[in-house]
Amino acid sequence: MEQRKQEIIESVISKAWEDATFKKELIADPIKTIEKLTGVKIVLPEGKNLIITDQTDKANIYVNIPVEPEIENMELTEEQLETVAGGGQQIWGDFVKSLFLTLHDCITL
């Protein structure tokens, strides 16, 4: 199922690269456009929006500044706790992945 979700995201991006009209529709109404192209349901958590931006201009470098995490409401896994307790620095990637919702998480198969 995870592989299928990745394939869906890749098909949306490929279509946007190939079809300027599709890209405009995707930016204007991402959920409807993705569902129409793929036939899958996109379900966002209540209060969340999906925003698609066009970052295809190679002359620009884009950085997304994510929402600041609510650390006090987080629960770390045993492995993450052990890493932190041991002074490990490898936690950042897993930490970030666990904090931020991605389109992949919203695809319902």
Side-chain angles (χ1 to χ4, degrees):
M1 183 173 359
E2 297 303 310
Q3 178 65 29
R4 176 72 178 121
K5 288 181 178 184
Q6 185 62 35
E7 290 168 359
I8 290 167
I9 293 169
E10 290 170 6
S11 72
V12 170
I13 293 169
S14 293
K15 180 76 172 172
W17 284 340
E18 299 166 2
D19 184 338
T21 301
F22 174 82
K23 182 169 42 172
K24 287 179 186 176
E25 291 171 1
L26 182 63
I27 292 167
D29 192 347
I31 293 175
K32 180 180 174 185
T33 306
I34 293 169
E35 290 178 344
K36 183 174 141 186
L37 173 70
T38 65
V40 299
K41 184 80 174 150
I42 304 297
V43 180
L44 297 179
E46 188 173 328
K48 299 288 184 182
N49 298 306
L50 177 59
I51 299 172
I52 305 288
T53 58
D54 182 0
Q55 298 182 0
T56 58
D57 184 345
K58 293 179 182 179
N60 297 313
I61 297 172
Y62 299 90
V63 176
N64 182 45
I65 301 172
V67 66
E68 188 174 345
E70 296 179 19
I71 303 292
E72 60 277 352
N73 295 330
M74 278 188 60
E75 290 188 33
L76 297 177
T77 66
E78 287 297 320
E79 184 179 337
Q80 290 168 328
L81 286 170
E82 288 177 21
T83 301
V84 171
Q89 298 298 317
Q90 294 288 38
I91 193 171
W92 183 248
D94 290 337
F95 180 69
V96 169
K97 281 186 205 173
S98 70
L99 290 176
F100 304 110
L101 187 65
T102 65
L103 177 57
H104 183 273
D105 300 325
C106 301
I107 295 173
T108 304
L109 296 177

